[in-house]
Amino acid sequence: QVQLVESGGGLVQAGGSLRLSCTASGSIFSINTMGWYRQAPGKQRELVAGITSGRSTNYPDSVKGRFTISRDNAKNTVYLQMNSLKPEDTAVYYCNANISPYGMGYTDYWGQGTQVTVSS
């Protein structure tokens, strides 16, 4: 069984910073892409940042220059450093990873979500 566990959310003032972490555990053979998504109330879930196994990254314009995604392959962990936070960044943030458990093909797994609230 594969699990993704997130940490690092919370309440921060506009202009502040937060760092999210997500660790994958279980019977893991290989991890392909990893990423962070967010979902605000009444809105669709959207990609915030993605990173490949080779550490190529991609960001939407809304967070480019403010958010940085990184990963530690030895720890099966992905991070999201969020700087210059804005009230519109308020959402539940979800970790996603494309994982191949031992003896199985690649499947997308999701974390439970962590709340990020940015006050004005």
Side-chain angles (χ1 to χ4, degrees):
Q1 186 76 358
V2 173
Q3 284 188 318
L4 299 182
V5 178
E6 301 144 345
S7 62
L11 173 64
V12 64
Q13 287 189 331
S17 298
L18 281 175
R19 189 190 194 212
L20 306 183
S21 300
C22 171
T23 298
S25 63
S27 181
I28 297 171
F29 172 68
S30 177
I31 302 178
N32 192 2
T33 58
M34 306 183 83
W36 290 93
Y37 289 72
R38 67 186 180 189
Q39 188 166 20
K43 294 188 176 182
Q44 289 189 329
R45 190 173 296 189
E46 61 175 356
L47 175 69
V48 174
I51 186 167
T52 67
S53 57
R55 295 185 171 83
S56 294
T57 60
N58 65 291
Y59 307 92
D61 289 343
S62 58
V63 307
K64 200 172 291 184
R66 300 188 298 121
F67 289 10
T68 302
I69 189 170
S70 61
R71 65 190 283 174
D72 184 334
N73 290 333
K75 296 181 179 180
N76 290 338
T77 299
V78 62
Y79 306 96
L80 184 68
Q81 178 67 43
M82 303 185 292
N83 299 328
S84 302
L85 282 161
K86 305 174 181 180
E88 51 263 45
D89 294 318
T90 296
V92 178
Y93 283 69
Y94 296 91
C95 172
N96 170 271
N98 189 239
I99 296 173
S100 170
Y102 281 100
M104 298 176 64
Y106 284 95
T107 302
D108 275 346
Y109 292 85
W110 293 89
Q112 78 284 2
T114 185
Q115 178 70 45
V116 171
T117 303
V118 184
S119 63
S120 57

